[in-house]
Amino acid sequence: QVVQADVQKNRIAGVKGTVKAAVLEDCPPLASCQLVAASVYDQKGVHFLSTCVQRIHWIEKFREVFDKTTQRKRMGKFL
């Protein structure tokens, strides 16, 4: 299953950054351009569907964010 279910706020840290992807195969109407489904979990699940993908490539980005726990800024990693 590619689509990721929403989780409770206290479990977000455990699933944050989880990525799933799949290609729909053996579907004659999509034989020339396969359907690709991708899902990434950040604060909530984010889902993408495409028939125009040659490859899936994740780029990690970094930026300064405020951490509520430590009350300080820190570098955060994002997809």
Side-chain angles (χ1 to χ4, degrees):
Q1 181 176 348
V2 176
V3 175
Q4 301 181 55
D6 288 336
V7 297
Q8 296 174 349
K9 286 186 178 184
N10 61 345
R11 293 192 57 230
I12 288 176
V15 296
K16 193 170 185 174
T18 301
V19 178
K20 295 183 179 183
V23 176
L24 178 63
E25 296 179 334
D26 299 325
C27 181
L30 296 173
S32 64
C33 197
Q34 293 180 325
L35 179 67
V36 175
S39 174
V40 61
Y41 204 100
D42 188 41
Q43 297 297 322
K44 293 185 177 182
V46 180
H47 317 290
F48 302 93
L49 295 175
S50 179
T51 56
C52 302
V53 173
Q54 296 294 322
R55 68 185 179 125
I56 296 175
H57 178 75
W58 300 106
I59 299 172
E60 291 183 346
K61 299 280 187 170
F62 296 89
R63 70 173 179 215
E64 206 170 65
V65 296
F66 185 76
D67 187 335
K68 289 182 183 178
T69 306
T70 62
Q71 297 292 308
R72 295 176 189 252
K73 288 186 177 181
R74 65 172 180 83
M75 289 303 289
K77 182 172 72 170
F78 305 89
L79 290 178

